[in-house]
Amino acid sequence: MPDFMLYDITMQFLTSNEIYENVKEAVKKASENLKLASAWIRGRYFEELLEIVKHKNLELEVIIRASEARDFEITDEMVFKKIKEVGGKVYLCNRLHAKFLIVDDKEVILGSANYTESGLSDISVGNIEAGAYYSDDETQVKRAVEYFKSIKEYSYLLSEDLIGFALNPVRPRSFEFVLVGQADLNSYVEVKTQEGLIIGRVDSVFSYNTGFFANPFTSRDSDVLAPIEDFKKIFSKGEDQDWKKFAVYSYLNSKSSYVKIATAEVIGVLKGSKLEMPKKPFEVGAPVYKASRESLQEALKKNTSGYEMSIPVLIGKLKDTDVAVYLDAQEILKKHFLIVGTTGSGKSYFVKKKLIPGLLKSVNDLQIVIFDPHGEYYDEIGNKSESIELVKFEDILFPTYPEELSELIEESGFANLVKGNSNIVKDNNSMFA
């Protein structure tokens, strides 16, 4: 048998005729904030409440249902404009059915009524609703506040950072989404999933006309989205190519329903202190946000194994952001690594200006050996530190065989660098460049 809890609560029962007047009076008395959950919202009664909110400068949070086409047929665009005008926040929840208002975290009005004209009107013209008002039980009001917070965890915040919604197909390593905001190539996005926070990088953006003859995906068995009669009308009538160009151009302009589609490569999923590849795709329709500074910073402090870096070395900032980028010195010094790029791409600049200074600053007792035929590294960093020793070879042609190079290094007094597992290599941090 389930456990039942019984509470002694003083409550005022509200009929259809009483709900709106009680709501309005409660909002008028508010001094701090309002929390509203209602599946559907629209109409003059809600706009009247927002006028009060606007003049009193109240903090407003609204949770609305976004589950099916009927939801956006009832909750119209004016609702979002008005909420935005008063600085309110809107959350979308695909399973919301609750209807209640919390005022200053002290009063609660709940019941069957949505915040629409039908829900808040007199019983003679609107829906037949019922509600309840209570404020004198701190424990129960607190439970309502906590419940509102828990509903937000199942919801998505409508914000400037919400830029799209995932489309078919969603794969563990990549996904596509329809853009309702701005996303540039190589920008970063995030998706909240049950597995964790997915971090992705936008690798393509393209425009698509929903009234034309192709779908936005690369599948070979794409459906023709425009009516087949229109297709035949343009491409089966006559042979004149100029006419066909004119017909297609006119058709596109008359069906100008343009959308933008973006694809993103998955970098990983943040799970606590680890970054790893997701094991399964997330749901189609999931909101896609611009990646926050915090989530990017968290991801970029993970090493190649997905764990927190042991010795993070600052090497710069992520392009077009102030997010710091690190390399794990412990990973670098224990393994071979190669820096590659085309001429002029910044390899030498990275090593001279970022990598070597960062390593010297972060790692104690580090020995770095640089073969510098052109003297560019010494000019940059060698004459700025007393701990750097300059060794000049004779003016000879640079050796072309490994054996000759080894012999030259030995003759210069650094035999330990070419003798295999020397003590200095085994026992100390060492890097060769």
Side-chain angles (χ1 to χ4, degrees):
M1 292 289 291
D3 295 328
F4 291 95
M5 292 181 288
L6 201 59
Y7 297 97
D8 182 16
I9 304 171
T10 303
M11 184 190 320
Q12 178 184 347
F13 181 82
L14 303 176
T15 66
S16 285
N17 296 22
E18 298 169 330
I19 293 173
Y20 179 64
E21 288 306 318
N22 276 267
V23 167
K24 189 174 181 179
E25 286 304 310
V27 174
K28 283 182 177 179
K29 292 188 296 181
S31 60
E32 297 179 9
N33 60 74
L34 299 174
K35 297 178 174 66
L36 172 63
S38 179
W40 299 329
I41 298 176
R42 73 181 299 168
R44 61 186 176 91
Y45 291 121
F46 182 70
E47 292 182 24
E48 287 178 6
L49 296 176
L50 288 184
E51 281 299 313
I52 301 172
V53 172
K54 182 178 180 179
H55 287 100
K56 295 175 71 69
N57 196 28
L58 300 174
E59 180 184 336
L60 175 66
E61 292 182 297
V62 181
I63 304 177
I64 304 175
R65 188 171 75 185
S67 178
E68 55 185 340
R70 190 182 180 196
D71 295 328
F72 63 77
E73 290 171 356
I74 298 176
T75 302
D76 58 25
E77 60 180 305
M78 188 59 67
V79 169
F80 299 95
K81 290 181 180 179
K82 293 289 185 179
I83 293 175
K84 191 173 184 178
E85 284 177 6
V86 301
K89 294 180 180 179
V90 177
Y91 295 83
L92 303 180
C93 181
N94 63 1
R95 295 189 290 120
L96 182 69
H97 201 270
K99 299 102 176 174
F100 62 100
L101 174 69
I102 304 173
V103 180
D104 288 343
D105 294 347
K106 297 177 181 178
E107 302 174 82
V108 179
I109 299 175
L110 56 83
S112 62
N114 283 299
Y115 278 63
T116 62
E117 288 196 39
S118 298
L120 298 177
S121 290
D122 185 275
I123 193 172
S124 62
V125 294
N127 298 333
I128 299 177
E129 307 283 1
Y133 167 85
Y134 62 93
S135 64
D136 54 356
D137 190 311
E138 293 184 6
T139 301
Q140 294 309 303
V141 173
K142 184 177 180 180
R143 289 191 73 209
V145 172
E146 292 300 320
Y147 190 52
F148 188 88
K149 290 180 181 178
S150 69
I151 295 174
K152 287 201 301 183
E153 294 178 4
Y154 292 95
S155 307
Y156 297 99
L157 174 64
L158 275 181
S159 68
E160 296 298 326
D161 290 334
L162 176 59
I163 57 173
F165 298 89
L167 294 170
N168 290 318
V170 173
R171 308 177 183 90
R173 298 298 178 95
S174 67
F175 58 93
E176 292 155 340
F177 60 99
V178 58
L179 274 171
V180 292
Q182 180 64 34
D184 299 322
L185 282 176
N186 298 315
S187 61
Y188 294 86
V189 295
E190 64 184 42
V191 182
K192 183 173 69 174
T193 72
Q194 291 183 342
E195 193 175 359
L197 189 67
I198 301 284
I199 305 294
R201 182 182 61 84
V202 176
D203 55 21
S204 69
V205 179
F206 52 93
S207 182
Y208 170 66
N209 188 322
T210 60
F212 204 46
F213 310 114
N215 77 22
F217 307 118
T218 55
S219 173
R220 292 184 178 180
D221 54 317
S222 300
D223 294 329
V224 175
L225 299 186
I228 192 66
E229 292 78 14
D230 291 347
F231 190 89
K232 289 179 179 179
K233 187 185 298 181
I234 293 176
F235 291 98
S236 300
K237 183 179 179 180
E239 298 295 330
D240 188 82
Q241 294 300 312
D242 287 340
W243 181 87
K244 287 185 178 180
K245 294 172 186 177
F246 159 77
V248 170
Y249 184 74
S250 299
Y251 186 92
L252 281 168
N253 282 320
S254 68
K255 304 287 185 180
S256 56
S257 303
Y258 289 100
V259 296
K260 286 186 177 180
I261 308 293
T263 61
E265 172 193 9
V266 173
I267 295 173
V269 55
L270 281 170
K271 295 182 179 181
S273 63
K274 189 175 181 183
L275 178 70
E276 58 186 52
M277 290 307 297
K279 294 180 172 60
K280 58 185 178 181
F282 55 85
E283 293 182 0
V284 172
V288 179
Y289 292 86
K290 290 181 181 177
S292 68
R293 184 187 186 282
E294 292 74 22
S295 57
L296 283 175
Q297 195 66 83
E298 185 70 22
L300 289 171
K301 277 202 169 184
K302 304 292 188 291
N303 61 26
T304 54
S305 300
Y307 293 98
E308 291 286 342
M309 293 183 183
S310 302
I311 309 175
V313 176
L314 178 65
I315 58 169
K317 299 290 181 68
L318 198 62
K319 185 180 179 182
D320 299 327
T321 75
D322 63 347
V323 178
V325 178
Y326 300 87
L327 287 177
D328 192 346
Q330 186 166 329
E331 291 279 319
I332 290 174
L333 297 174
K334 286 184 176 180
K335 301 175 181 177
H336 299 291
F337 73 100
L338 177 67
I339 300 170
V340 295
T342 57
T343 301
S345 62
K347 301 183 298 297
S348 298
Y349 177 87
F350 167 72
V351 174
K352 289 185 294 187
K353 295 284 191 178
K354 302 295 182 180
L355 182 59
I356 292 177
L359 287 169
L360 290 173
K361 185 177 180 180
S362 303
V363 184
N364 296 324
D365 301 321
L366 175 65
Q367 181 187 45
I368 299 178
V369 180
I370 303 173
F371 295 96
D372 186 17
H374 302 290
E376 56 179 319
Y377 286 84
Y378 185 75
D379 291 341
E380 283 287 344
I381 60 176
N383 55 7
K384 298 178 182 178
S385 173
E386 297 179 356
S387 62
I388 294 178
E389 180 181 355
L390 173 65
V391 177
K392 291 186 177 181
F393 294 152
E394 296 179 8
D395 292 332
I396 59 173
L397 291 176
F398 203 78
T400 56
Y401 294 101
E403 294 80 9
E404 292 176 293
L405 180 58
S406 297
E407 184 178 342
L408 185 60
I409 293 171
E410 287 188 56
E411 291 174 353
S412 300
F414 293 91
N416 58 320
L417 297 180
V418 294
K419 292 296 186 181
N421 293 325
S422 63
N423 290 333
I424 193 169
V425 174
K426 286 194 300 181
D427 298 335
N428 298 311
N429 292 319
S430 300
M431 174 183 169
F432 296 84

